[in-house]
């Protein structure tokens, strides 16, 4: 069995990392156009760095929860049976990896990585970023930014994601709002392909009506239950 799992901020919420689009989410308190666009970064890079530095520190202080560990178990046990888990996440945190998942596709990038706008180099970056820091590769300052996908930018690896979805036997969306495209369109694509679909979420998403099945509740309860069901 090949399972395509799409995860969103709801998977990490119980680890203490804020969601974006809930009633009290990050974008209800901060302006995404100022902090999560190329134009916002060009206008005030120091403010953008301050926002993401805080989020990077919050991530470092957080720990994976039962939902992350359940998906690691799913990956391991599917592989032992000759199957596969394609774990595609909208999250920019590293909690899937810290829980032991080996193959994680970060379609929106990773906050623990930096991108140099001068030379295009991407590299691991666990500390703070600042305007005055120079790129270790090209030596130029002012061009380092978080290696995350901002509004108006194209998610990473869409061709690979499409290929994995076409090859899947099941599609599961976990902890997603269903409001951010192209990820919100994956369930419709899975439906067109005739792939069984399930939503696992705290509450119905914006595209809940497109799923064949649903399971609602805290991720630390619903995701282990989902994994037990899939492994049957």
């Amino acid at each position: 069995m090949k399972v395509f799992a799409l995860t969103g901020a709801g998977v990490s919420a119980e680890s203490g990392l804020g969601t974006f689009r809930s009633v009290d989410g990050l974008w209800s308190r901060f302006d995404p156009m100022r902090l999560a666009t190329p134009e916002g970064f060009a206008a005030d890079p120091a403010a953008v760095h301050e926002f993401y530095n805080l989020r990077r520190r919050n991530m470092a202080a957080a720990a994976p929860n039962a939902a992350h560990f359940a998906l690691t178990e799913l990956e391991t046990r599917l592989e032992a049976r000759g199957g596969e888990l394609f774990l595609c996440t909208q999250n920019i945190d590293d909690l899937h990896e810290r829980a032991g998942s080996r193959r994680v596709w970060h379609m929106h990038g990773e906050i623990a990585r930096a991108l140099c706008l001068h030379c295009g180099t991407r590299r691991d970056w666990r500390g703070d970023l600042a305007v005055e820091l120079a790129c270790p590769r090209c030596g130029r300052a002012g061009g380092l930014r978080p290696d995350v996908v901002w509004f108006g930018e194209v998610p990473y690896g869409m061709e690979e994601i499409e290929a994995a979805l076409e090859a899947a036997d099941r599609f599961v969306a976990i902890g997603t709002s269903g409001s951010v495209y192209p990820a919100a369109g994956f369930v419709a694509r899975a439906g067109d392909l005739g792939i069984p679909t399930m939503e696992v979420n705290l509450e119905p998403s914006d595209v809940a009506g497109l799923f064949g099945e649903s399971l609602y509740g805290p991720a630390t309860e619903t995701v282990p239950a989902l994994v037990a069901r899939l492994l049957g």
Side-chain angles (χ1 to χ4, degrees), residues 1-4 83-84 164-171 194-197:
M1 178 169 59
K2 293 185 177 181
V3 177
F4 187 115
E84 179 180 295
L165 189 54
E166 291 179 353
D169 299 308
R170 292 178 181 271
F171 171 77
I195 300 169
T197 60

Side-chain angles (χ1 to χ4, degrees), residues 7 9 20 41-42 60 70 90 92 117 147 178 218:
T7 65
F20 287 92
F41 182 71
Q90 297 171 272
I92 58 177
L117 296 176
D147 188 15

Side-chain angles (χ1 to χ4, degrees), residues 48-90:
V48 175
H49 282 314
E50 181 180 3
F51 176 72
Y52 284 95
N53 286 343
L54 177 59
R55 296 198 61 218
R56 197 178 296 106
R57 292 176 208 149
N58 289 344
M59 179 189 74
N65 62 52
H68 298 104
F69 287 113
L71 289 169
T72 299
E73 179 186 6
L74 180 62
E75 177 186 61
T76 301
R77 293 183 62 181
L78 281 178
E79 289 180 355
R81 300 178 183 185
E84 179 180 295
L85 172 65
F86 187 86
L87 182 51
C88 177
T89 187
Q90 297 171 272

Side-chain angles (χ1 to χ4, degrees), residues 105-193:
W105 196 273
H106 286 271
M107 65 179 296
H108 290 165
E110 301 176 65
I111 197 172
R113 293 178 62 82
L115 164 64
C116 177
L117 296 176
H118 297 311
C119 67
T121 297
R122 291 182 164 91
R123 63 176 62 240
D124 291 341
W125 198 286
R126 296 279 171 176
D128 287 355
L129 284 170
V131 176
E132 63 272 13
L133 290 177
C135 170
R137 184 176 184 275
C138 71
R140 298 177 65 184
L144 290 174
R145 56 162 274 189
D147 188 15
V148 300
V149 176
W150 285 331
F151 292 99
E153 298 180 327
V154 179
Y156 293 154
M158 289 305 299
E159 290 185 5
E160 291 85 351
I161 291 170
E162 174 68 16
L165 189 54
E166 291 179 353
D169 299 308
R170 292 178 181 271
F171 171 77
V172 183
I174 305 169
T176 67
S177 67
S179 60
V180 179
Y181 286 82
F186 291 174
V187 60
R189 177 59 177 152
D192 291 341
L193 294 167

